[in-house]
Amino acid sequence: VFCVCVCPFVLIVFAMEVQRRSKLVRFLLSKDQKYLLSTFASPSACLGVFQLCLSFVAKHIVLRCLYLPDEHTDSINDMKLWFNSSAEARVEGAVELLSSLCILESVQGDNVNEVNYKLRKSFKRHLIQSYKGTGVAPEEEKPLANPLSFGEVQSTCESAWESVLYYMLCPYNDSVTDGSFDAVEANLKKSGLLDVREDFDNALYMTPLGFQFLLQHRRTQIWFYILSFLHEVELLGERSETILQLIFTLALAKPGACVSMGGTKLQKKVSKHLSKIGLCVRVKSDKVLYPSHLALALLNEDALAGDDKDKGCLIIETNFRVYAYTQSELVTNLLQLFSKLMYRLPTMGVAMITRESVRSALSQGITSRQILHFLKVHCSDRMVPQPNSVYSPIPTTVSDQIILWEQETDRFKKKNGVLYRNIDPKYYHDLVAFAIKEKMCIWKDEERHAFIATTDGTALIKKHYAVLKQSKISSS
């Protein structure tokens, strides 16, 4: 008998991956057939959608059909034979997803009620091309006037993305960015990460969604921003297919390679915006883009391995004291979201995790899981592992207490309601029965002839009470 053990932390990371994938899938499913077919005109987009949006079963179906003749079709019952009998429901779901994404094309079968499927020719041709290439030798490239190394691109883009995060923490600090950051600021506001406080001279402030965003995984952050950016572009009346194709092209490029910037006005505008958030470095003289490790991480999470210079900078003690050995203002400010900074030295900072600081973070929408994930990712390798803890090497006294502080906030749930009391006993039971039937009753006390109902049901309850009184008067 073989026993397979899966670490709960791995399950948490997998859940984050599924959540990110589902957002991209929902975005594509909201588009019409014309949009999807236009997107699949790019081999990079076909491969990107194949890797990111499809489940294991859906990928298997695509690969089984990839090199079959164009006229060959299979019914859903044929596809079920490719898998174990327990996976029939997953096969049906995969076929439905592939059809909705315009990857599979339905064809009338031999029987009237039978529907067969085949890979759409355009997707099939471009997916094969992304794997095998065109088979045509590329033209000799002209030497670039300003070539950049991957190390230079990586450091430049890392600073650019940190500027975005630091701007969210300090949107009132004009020294963080220059005037060319307006497009990024507009997208942060449209995506709900920042908002304007009208009662304080239209000052910017970070929303609860923004607080959650800051403590999420880097890859999740970038995909959230990209999908928000695509949505904003469409609201302006532009087509976002070319943008999605460019993003997948950057994500599939080799480290250190460059990608053509494109000649259209939209492509130039988008490439400038992507360079502001650190997905690429734009070289206007050569009209090329150098994709960064952040762009490569959109499809391959391993691209982020070893890129964080502040990874492993935290030492967490059992007395809830945190030592941050870093000069990064961003890490220090992120730490202050859920801890109290005691003092700051040139190369390190010392903070204390307290009940008040954690509850303050929870009130901003941050969860205990996000706090512990941030601490775990930045923990030093010198910390002693906790064998029975999901969040090892964080001391169990710290991780358990943070979770308990979050559970304290779940003791009470607030609901707005209206108290009705001193009700005539002959009307009380009928009135409460009506409130329960309409799902407006929050609480009741039969001994005191009182109950609490939702605020939006006040008018209905008053109307029903008047009807009850009138019926009693009529009957008497």
Side-chain angles (χ1 to χ4, degrees), residues 392-406:
S392 174
I394 302 174
T396 54
T397 52
V398 176
S399 59
D400 291 348
Q401 187 60 63
I402 291 176
I403 294 173
L404 288 173
W405 282 332
E406 182 182 43

Side-chain angles (χ1 to χ4, degrees), residues 113-348:
N113 297 326
E114 186 181 31
V115 179
N116 290 349
Y117 297 92
K118 65 176 182 179
L119 272 184
R120 200 171 290 272
K121 288 184 180 180
S122 59
F123 184 88
K124 180 179 180 180
R125 182 176 69 255
H126 289 116
L127 185 60
I128 292 176
Q129 183 179 335
S130 66
Y131 276 122
K132 297 178 62 177
T134 59
V136 180
E139 298 180 2
E140 185 177 352
E141 297 180 355
K142 297 179 181 179
L144 300 176
N146 300 299
L148 298 176
S149 67
F150 186 65
E152 293 174 323
V153 174
Q154 188 171 354
S155 60
T156 302
C157 292
E158 183 69 23
S159 299
W161 181 250
E162 286 192 358
S163 296
V164 176
L165 300 181
Y166 192 70
Y167 181 75
M168 290 181 59
L169 283 166
C170 307
Y172 47 83
N173 191 349
D174 296 333
S175 63
V176 177
T177 58
D178 52 19
S180 60
F181 206 70
D182 293 343
V184 177
E185 177 189 309
N187 191 59
L188 292 174
K189 289 191 289 187
K190 293 291 184 180
S191 60
L193 301 178
L194 294 179
D195 203 352
V196 177
R197 195 183 298 275
E198 297 180 356
D199 53 343
F200 285 93
D201 297 329
N202 294 329
L204 286 175
Y205 72 97
M206 189 161 49
T207 64
L209 181 62
F211 282 102
Q212 295 182 30
F213 176 84
L214 287 175
L215 295 186
Q216 285 179 337
H217 190 268
R218 180 66 56 87
R219 190 185 186 195
T220 306
Q221 289 177 339
I222 298 172
W223 267 117
F224 179 89
Y225 186 94
I226 288 175
L227 293 177
S228 301
F229 176 63
L230 293 175
H231 181 67
E232 179 62 22
V233 168
E234 292 175 348
L235 290 178
L236 297 175
E238 301 282 357
R239 301 284 292 183
S240 61
E241 303 97 308
T242 54
I243 303 175
L244 199 56
Q245 291 172 353
L246 176 60
I247 290 171
F248 280 125
T249 301
L250 292 172
L252 289 167
K254 294 181 180 179
C258 58
V259 176
S260 174
M261 187 185 303
T264 66
K265 184 178 180 180
L266 178 62
Q267 288 174 329
K268 291 179 180 179
K269 179 181 177 181
V270 170
S271 62
K272 182 179 179 181
H273 191 110
L274 295 180
S275 65
K276 285 294 178 183
I277 63 173
L279 288 189
C280 61
V281 173
R282 190 171 65 128
V283 182
K284 291 193 289 185
S285 59
D286 293 324
K287 296 182 179 180
V288 295
L289 303 173
Y290 285 90
S292 69
H293 60 298
L294 300 177
L296 303 180
L298 293 174
L299 293 180
N300 180 17
E301 193 171 3
D302 294 337
L304 292 176
D307 74 294
D308 191 355
K309 59 183 180 295
D310 295 309
K311 188 174 183 179
C313 67
L314 298 185
I315 298 291
I316 306 171
E317 294 183 339
T318 54
N319 59 0
F320 296 87
R321 185 167 289 194
V322 181
Y323 298 89
Y325 292 90
T326 178
Q327 298 179 3
S328 172
E329 291 291 334
L330 177 63
V331 174
T332 305
N333 280 278
L334 289 175
L335 193 61
Q336 289 184 78
L337 292 178
F338 53 86
S339 65
K340 181 181 179 181
L341 188 65
M342 300 175 63
Y343 45 87
R344 184 81 167 92
L345 301 176
T347 58
M348 69 170 290

